[in-house]
Amino acid sequence: MIQLSQVGEPPLRILLGSDALQFANYKLQMLQSGIEANKEITLSTDFS
């Protein structure tokens, strides 16, 4: 955390610990699955 305070442009969010990284990756996979599952509906709403 001290190193982060010395970075010119610190990240908006930082994961601390392997459990946080594991949960974040799980969440990303769930979001990606939901996006893919509804891709056809999502793309059907484009205005042409």
Side-chain angles (χ1 to χ4, degrees):
M1 291 180 73
I2 293 171
Q3 289 175 336
L4 283 173
S5 70
Q6 298 168 347
V7 174
E9 292 185 36
L12 181 59
R13 294 174 182 84
I14 187 74
L15 300 172
L16 301 175
S18 60
D19 57 337
L21 180 60
Q22 184 178 10
F23 180 76
N25 282 322
Y26 170 76
K27 180 66 174 179
L28 287 170
Q29 290 172 355
M30 293 298 99
L31 288 170
Q32 187 65 39
S33 294
I35 290 169
E36 286 299 318
N38 296 296
K39 187 175 183 177
E40 186 176 329
I41 295 169
T42 298
L43 295 177
S44 73
T45 62
D46 285 354
F47 181 76
S48 320

